[in-house]
Amino acid sequence: MRGEAVTKMARFAPGGRLSALAGYVWRGGRHKQDAAGVTRARARRKFSASRLIMLLALLAMGATLVSAGVGYGVAQQSDERMWSEQRGALRNAIGEFRALFGNNREIDPRFVRMVEQSARLQGLKFETEPSAGEREMQPVLDAQGRIAGFFTWERTRPMSAAMDGLMPYIAALALALVGFAGFSLAQLRRAGRDLTASEEQARRAADEDKLTGLPNHAKTLELLDLYLAEHAAHESTTFALVELDGMEDVTAHLGVLGSDELIVAVATRIREAVPAEAVVGRVGSDEFAVMLIAEDDVDVEPMIRAVLENIARPHWFDTVVRVSAHAGFAQAPRHATTRGELTRRAELALRAAAKKGPGSIVAFEAAIDTVSTDQKFIQRELPRALSANELELHYQPIVAAHGGRIVGVEALLRWTHPTRGAIGPAVFIPVAEQMGLMDTLGAFVLRRALQEAKRWPDLYVAVNLSPLQVRDRTIVDLVRSALEESGVPPSRLMLEITEGVLIDNPEEMVKRIEDLHDLGVRVALDDFGSGYSNLSYLQRFPLDKLKIDRSFVVALGTSANGGVIIQAIVALGRALGLSVLVEGVETEQQRVLLRLAGCDEMQGFLFAKPAPAATIDRLLAQQKQSSGAKALAAPATLTA
Ligand code: C2E
Ligand code: MG
Ligand code: MG
């Protein structure tokens, strides 16, 4: 099957095995597909029309010949019927007039005429001897039963004669139809050839990227299959992905047509930089693939470097445009043997190169793959974990900056896998979102947190909502029903959302937060400062609490301005009427500085690590005993 495909391609670009493939794919040209489509439709129409004409011609010819034959038959039959009627009439006449025959063998000519008329015969004669010619003959017996003589008459065939007259015309018509059918056959053949050619063209067009004329994504993968099947034992197939940097900016600058022109130019630059036997395909809007078979010991990185350098040279349009690219590659059989695995690994290498920045080239290596293997593992295991009760909640105390009393707890999801051990929420929650498991997971967290919060009537419980949950309108119903089921007053529930979710659809988010407020719950902005840190959010969204990200606390000790910034944010939050909490407080020094900065609440390992509900029970009991602040200043006792 594959071998066949190779031979087919080789026809288009004679030469070596791989140059045949390469030649096949580089044909360049915009709007080829449209043109091919039109040509093919026209060729199809022509073919159908020619076939119809030819069929009609054959039918007409058949009909003419058949009707000529039938006509002849009918004419002959009608002539024969006429003959037998004439004979019958003659015999009757003879019977009637028998008495008139004398022995003299003479017959009155008037009688002959009478018989001639009554039997409608032509040229009737009475003869005593049988005539030798072509004439019809009927013996006449006298009264004694002896032959008295013979009536003879001319045989007429009026119908057949009429048909004879038509014959030359019929023959001419049949001949004309034969000629026409022959002509139609020739037309049909030509139309068939055109159709095959245009279908071939259409097949090619379906394989090509419309803009650059390079093989498109599907074709590239098909060619990769061929390469993988073709490379010899001492050879490797390299599959490299080249991605342009910042094409959004280029499009914004040049417009869509300009960026199309750039893509075409880049395609040419890539082709120029690779050996003739390499295949270049366009596999995404700003992503290209380069495939090459080479000896195992050939280092392909210089080729890929040449590609990137060639792309980066200035492009002269109306204005000079520069565009950089990065590349990732994997090789078969070293990194993978199947198409799926090879492309996946090249993709991973490309992502790693994107992280490194413009101009980077990354060869696949096993280390890159661990994250995604984890992802696969999580995808497989998470649904099971949910039903097997492997997930539970830990709670991290939140303390008042003044006095250090525990005022609330943040519920944090924990997964302890039977063989892998603890898997962090930051790892598995995004996977749950991707898998559509967040509904189930989110409902589990909310219900469990509210159930367990019943044990701590003086504390509020903070529950994290993933962006997907916040975007979903039904979150309001979920929160309402979870509150009703647990009987926990809504004022004791704090929902934590992150900045990212506010950007996508601000109007809807304002509405969502208001709906949640209407239930009586409070809403905190989590991780403030880790993302966009847009101060305008604080004003725009009806928030209750600001949770300043741990990164600011880290900056407290390391950067000269760290203290100033955190002071400013705390002051701003308070000025806007928000309660300010700082996360990730780990040292006594940080605690003191933050307290001076004016924050309201703190959370961090200095006070307590997230722990099961039972530990919170114990901490609260301790707190009761030793009037608060001092006990909470010593993390060791709290986490024990
Ligand atoms: P987060 O909501 O900002 O939670 C605080 C994270 O900081 C927790 O990480 C906590 O263990 C950690 N942390 C607290 N104090 C300190 C400290 O002093 N130093 C350091 N280095 N870390 C501290 P964790 O539990 O790994 O959770 C990570 C993130 O996962 C959470 O960040 C939250 O965004 C998300 N998450 C956790 N549980 C849930 C959940 O039930 N639902 C949703 N949607 N997200 C959750
Ligand atoms: Mg949180
Ligand atoms: Mg946080």
Side-chain angles (χ1 to χ4, degrees):
M1 183 64 196
R2 279 176 185 159
E4 216 180 276
V6 174
T7 357
K8 261 189 210 154
M9 289 173 194
R11 273 209 313 240
F12 296 105
R17 173 195 54 172
L18 297 178
S19 63
L21 290 169
Y24 169 70
V25 299
W26 177 248
R27 295 159 56 81
R30 194 192 282 237
H31 308 315
K32 255 188 172 170
Q33 257 177 346
D34 300 342
V38 173
T39 317
R40 186 167 41 141
R42 200 180 298 146
R44 274 218 185 110
R45 276 201 302 278
K46 205 170 149 194
F47 182 78
S48 309
S50 306
R51 196 171 42 187
L52 188 69
I53 291 172
M54 153 125 179
L55 274 175
L56 286 177
L58 286 176
L59 263 175
M61 195 174 75
T64 310
L65 292 176
V66 167
S67 45
V70 170
Y72 249 114
V74 170
Q76 210 156 0
Q77 269 178 9
S78 129
D79 284 344
E80 276 167 9
R81 209 177 311 117
M82 188 190 75
W83 294 335
S84 76
E85 281 168 10
Q86 285 174 334
R87 258 179 213 282
L90 180 65
R91 272 196 298 272
N92 283 346
I94 293 170
E96 262 176 54
F97 302 115
R98 186 181 303 274
L100 298 175
F101 297 125
N103 285 339
N104 55 1
R105 296 190 165 214
E106 284 297 320
I107 281 188
D108 186 339
R110 278 176 305 154
F111 167 69
V112 174
R113 289 283 75 77
M114 275 162 63
V115 174
E116 185 184 56
Q117 273 164 17
S118 70
R120 284 184 282 122
L121 295 168
Q122 213 176 317
L124 187 73
K125 283 185 196 159
F126 183 78
E127 288 164 319
T128 46
E129 292 304 322
S131 69
E134 280 286 285
R135 290 167 67 80
E136 292 287 303
M137 194 168 59
Q138 172 72 38
V140 181
L141 304 181
D142 60 16
Q144 284 74 44
R146 289 169 308 190
I147 289 179
F150 302 87
F151 273 127
T152 67
W153 66 94
E154 278 172 29
R155 170 183 280 210
T156 55
R157 28 194 296 281
M159 296 305 282
S160 306
M163 280 307 291
D164 287 348
L166 283 177
M167 222 23 225
Y169 301 104
I170 292 174
L173 182 65
L175 219 67
L177 286 171
V178 166
F180 189 61
F183 170 75
S184 308
L185 184 68
Q187 284 288 95
L188 186 67
R189 281 218 181 123
R190 195 169 319 124
R193 272 199 304 274
D194 287 353
L195 184 63
T196 316
S198 71
E199 273 178 351
E200 175 64 30
Q201 206 180 346
R203 197 184 58 72
R204 281 173 168 287
D207 291 343
E208 279 175 7
D209 169 53
K210 220 171 168 183
L211 186 63
T212 58
L214 293 174
N216 57 22
H217 193 187
K219 188 66 196 174
T220 304
L221 294 181
E222 204 181 294
L223 292 171
L224 178 59
D225 268 341
L226 288 174
Y227 268 41
L228 290 174
E230 286 287 305
H231 73 205
H234 51 91
E235 291 174 327
S236 300
T237 295
T238 300
F239 185 73
L241 290 168
V242 177
E243 189 175 46
L244 302 179
D245 299 307
M247 271 309 280
E248 303 83 28
D249 296 341
V250 174
T251 311
H253 185 60
L254 294 179
V256 175
L257 286 182
S259 63
D260 275 2
E261 214 172 319
L262 180 67
I263 291 288
V264 174
V266 165
T268 312
R269 294 274 177 92
I270 298 177
R271 270 245 60 101
E272 283 168 3
V274 299
E277 65 269 24
V279 162
V280 179
R282 184 170 179 219
V283 291
S285 63
D286 43 13
E287 198 173 320
F288 295 85
V290 178
M291 281 185 272
L292 181 77
I293 292 184
E295 294 287 323
D296 277 338
D297 53 2
V298 170
D299 180 7
V300 294
E301 217 169 303
M303 175 195 82
I304 300 172
R305 168 88 36 225
V307 168
L308 298 192
E309 283 172 3
N310 216 26
I311 293 174
R313 285 194 296 110
H315 296 264
W316 294 94
F317 298 122
D318 291 344
T319 153
V320 63
V321 179
R322 283 175 185 275
V323 63
S324 61
H326 53 273
F329 70 95
Q331 290 179 304
R334 192 152 61 97
H335 300 132
T337 48
T338 61
R339 173 178 102 179
E341 203 47 27
L342 187 65
T343 50
R344 192 182 72 82
R345 295 193 157 189
E347 190 75 43
L348 287 172
L350 183 73
R351 296 278 74 84
K355 271 194 200 136
K356 279 176 91 176
S360 316
I361 299 173
V362 172
F364 173 81
E365 52 181 326
I368 305 178
D369 208 8
T370 51
V371 179
S372 68
T373 314
D374 273 346
Q375 177 145 344
K376 265 195 196 152
F377 174 81
I378 291 166
Q379 278 177 350
R380 205 176 55 234
E381 290 291 293
L382 191 55
R384 189 195 51 75
L386 258 170
S387 50
N389 266 338
E390 277 171 25
L391 295 165
E392 57 170 346
L393 291 184
H394 279 193
Y395 298 88
Q396 186 175 32
I398 293 166
V399 304
H402 291 276
R405 285 188 71 82
I406 302 177
V407 291
V409 285
E410 178 175 5
L412 295 161
L413 199 49
R414 293 291 176 263
W415 177 14
T416 313
H417 187 271
T419 56
R420 287 264 180 123
I423 301 174
V427 175
F428 68 81
I429 284 179
V431 183
E433 285 203 330
Q434 274 171 26
M435 293 176 72
L437 277 179
M438 209 49 225
D439 276 359
T440 324
L441 207 55
F444 162 79
V445 171
L446 200 62
R447 294 211 158 93
R448 175 69 63 88
L450 285 172
Q451 284 304 328
E452 291 186 320
K454 287 202 267 187
R455 302 151 72 151
W456 315 306
D458 299 330
L459 307 186
Y460 72 83
V461 59
V463 172
N464 292 282
L465 296 183
S466 83
L468 216 68
Q469 284 177 285
V470 188
R471 283 189 197 112
D472 186 350
R473 212 180 301 121
T474 61
I475 185 69
V476 182
D477 300 326
L478 173 69
V479 172
R480 185 188 298 114
S481 71
L483 281 168
E484 280 166 10
E485 280 164 29
S486 68
V488 171
S491 57
R492 283 184 49 213
L493 178 62
M494 175 81 67
L495 295 172
E496 296 190 3
I497 62 173
T498 45
E499 278 177 278
V501 79
L502 303 178
I503 301 167
D504 303 343
N505 196 346
E507 282 78 29
E508 198 189 330
M509 285 309 128
V510 169
K511 171 92 179 54
R512 187 75 26 82
I513 297 171
E514 278 168 355
D515 288 348
L516 292 168
H517 273 160
D518 289 348
L519 296 177
V521 304
R522 287 177 293 158
V523 179
L525 185 62
D526 199 0
D527 301 341
F528 184 76
S530 67
Y532 308 89
S533 314
N534 192 331
L535 295 173
S536 70
Y537 293 155
L538 303 182
Q539 205 172 12
R540 186 161 182 194
F541 296 97
L543 301 161
D544 299 281
K545 191 184 288 277
L546 188 62
K547 291 189 79 170
I548 298 175
D549 192 65
R550 197 180 147 251
S551 51
F552 283 105
V553 183
V554 176
L556 265 182
T558 53
S559 130
N561 305 334
V564 184
I565 294 173
I566 212 160
Q567 261 176 342
I569 297 177
V570 172
L572 181 78
R574 295 193 62 157
L576 289 168
L578 301 172
S579 146
V580 179
L581 181 154
V582 181
E583 300 182 283
V585 183
E586 288 182 348
T587 66
E588 182 58 22
Q589 188 202 9
Q590 288 167 348
R591 186 180 73 86
V592 173
L593 284 171
L594 290 167
R595 198 179 143 176
L596 289 175
C599 77
D600 300 295
E601 291 170 355
M602 295 186 209
Q603 182 182 349
F605 294 169
L606 175 69
F607 311 105
K609 286 190 169 168
T615 309
I616 304 295
D617 292 340
R618 225 175 32 247
L619 286 179
L620 288 173
Q622 271 181 30
Q623 182 174 262
K624 235 181 189 170
Q625 278 174 11
S626 60
S627 67
K630 271 179 227 149
L632 294 175
T637 45
L638 291 178
T639 50

